Amino acid sequence: MAISESFCLECHLCPIQTVSLDNNRIFHMKFYQTIKEDVRTVFKKDPAARSVVEVLTCYPGLHAIWMHRIAHFLWKKNRTFLARLLSHISRFLTNIEIHPGAIIGQRFFIDHGAGVVIGETAEIGDDVLMYQGVILGGVTLQKKKRHPTIGNNVMIGAGTIILGPVHIGDGARIGAASLVIKDVPSHAIAIGVPARLGMGFSGKELQEITENRLPDPIADAFRIISSEIEAMEKRLIEVERLQGRHAELDRIMEQKKQEIIRIFSQDEDFSAGTGI
């Protein structure tokens, strides 16, 4: 922005005062732009949002982020007590605990928010969506980097616990109630306790996968092993036939095997008792 070095004829401000006035104007413009961007993010990521008034007054995740920005500013200015006090007040009002030292990017949204804990050395990128009960925790008492780093465009499901200085790559998705203790590559899906990876998804496929349709890496492994065993059994039966041998199948074991295969099939029928 160009700053005039001449005196203002209307208000008689000196050049230094004009610089201060322009800086204040820039600050207020950025402030309101950030508020508008946060509100747009809520409408984009929560289909339950119906009006601006509702978003401004009834979204504790949004309030927690706003208060964290002030607390983080105080933290960087070495006003650590005031920063921690504001963080404590925010926790009381929103049930969301964000340490003022945590670094959070733009368009971060916490949906529902209850029980979320974000540690001091955690780093969160842009366009991250986080649900209730998520914990970004540490695993050491040493004063060093001990909390997770979350990349851009990451979704973290409800009740997920991510421990230690692990890195979650850009575009990754973490299934609900998972325990993550190792790095997750970009554009991968992690789910389970401990979390295991389902990989090879494009960005479009990641966006289309819903929370209750996330892949199950353990079930995938069972299906592969089951398929290999079935192929080996068929070859063994053919070898025995050529040798003139014939072994009776254990019908009970065969029935149990088919039940296990059905449980880990891709088309699970939960009404029939499959799944967990």
Side-chain angles (χ1 to χ4, degrees):
M1 177 180 292
I3 300 174
S4 174
E5 292 296 332
S6 62
F7 290 92
C8 178
L9 298 178
E10 295 182 359
C11 54
H12 307 289
L13 293 176
C14 68
I16 296 177
Q17 290 173 317
T18 305
V19 171
S20 176
L21 181 62
D22 286 345
N23 287 338
N24 287 335
R25 187 179 294 114
I26 293 172
F27 171 80
H28 286 102
M29 288 176 60
K30 289 183 177 179
F31 175 79
Y32 288 116
Q33 286 174 355
T34 300
I35 296 296
K36 290 173 63 177
E37 187 176 55
D38 290 336
V39 172
R40 284 196 296 266
T41 299
V42 174
F43 280 107
K44 180 180 178 181
K45 296 184 177 181
D46 185 9
R50 287 178 170 80
S51 68
V52 174
V53 174
E54 177 187 8
V55 170
L56 292 175
T57 57
C58 302
Y59 276 75
L62 196 58
H63 303 154
I65 294 168
W66 287 343
M67 284 189 276
H68 168 74
R69 288 178 181 150
I70 300 173
H72 184 65
F73 173 81
L74 294 172
W75 184 265
K76 291 194 298 183
K77 295 296 183 181
N78 205 30
R79 301 292 193 268
T80 55
F81 173 74
L82 289 177
R84 288 302 302 269
L85 180 62
L86 181 57
S87 174
H88 186 69
I89 294 172
S90 174
R91 175 187 178 184
F92 175 78
L93 295 175
T94 66
N95 197 23
I96 297 171
E97 180 176 346
I98 307 176
H99 192 283
I103 299 174
I104 296 178
Q106 297 178 325
R107 297 175 296 278
F108 174 54
F109 178 49
I110 305 174
D111 199 0
H112 302 294
V116 168
V117 177
I118 300 175
E120 176 187 5
T121 61
E123 300 175 52
I124 300 174
D126 298 334
D127 301 293
V128 173
L129 173 60
M130 181 181 293
Y131 289 92
Q132 69 273 14
V134 171
I135 296 175
L136 305 185
V139 292
T140 179
L141 298 179
Q142 299 180 18
K143 293 184 179 295
K144 62 179 184 178
K145 171 66 174 174
R146 57 190 185 276
H147 296 95
T149 297
I150 312 298
N152 301 322
N153 298 293
V154 174
M155 189 280 288
I156 307 177
T160 293
I161 300 175
I162 307 177
L163 297 178
V166 300
H167 182 268
I168 310 299
D170 294 346
R173 302 190 71 171
I174 314 297
S178 297
L179 173 62
V180 181
I181 54 177
K182 294 182 180 180
D183 292 351
V184 176
S186 299
H187 305 294
I189 294 177
I191 187 170
V193 181
R196 302 187 183 277
L197 298 179
M199 301 179 64
F201 297 94
S202 66
K204 182 179 179 181
E205 288 172 332
L206 284 172
Q207 293 297 323
E208 292 176 351
I209 294 176
T210 58
E211 183 70 19
N212 64 338
R213 289 295 179 184
L214 291 175
D216 188 341
I218 297 178
D220 290 342
F222 269 103
R223 282 193 288 268
I224 293 172
I225 294 173
S226 174
S227 177
E228 291 293 329
I229 292 175
E230 187 175 0
M232 290 176 62
E233 287 180 342
K234 288 180 179 179
R235 289 197 294 267
L236 182 59
I237 291 173
E238 181 63 19
V239 170
E240 290 180 341
R241 187 186 66 80
L242 293 174
Q243 294 179 351
R245 301 179 182 179
H246 179 69
E248 290 290 337
L249 290 175
D250 188 332
R251 298 187 179 279
I252 296 178
M253 288 299 297
E254 185 67 18
Q255 183 179 358
K256 288 184 177 295
K257 185 181 74 172
Q258 293 302 321
E259 290 178 356
I260 293 173
I261 292 174
R262 180 173 57 84
I263 290 174
F264 289 100
S265 66
Q266 291 184 344
D267 300 322
E268 293 180 318
D269 183 5
F270 288 95
S271 64
T274 62
I276 299 176

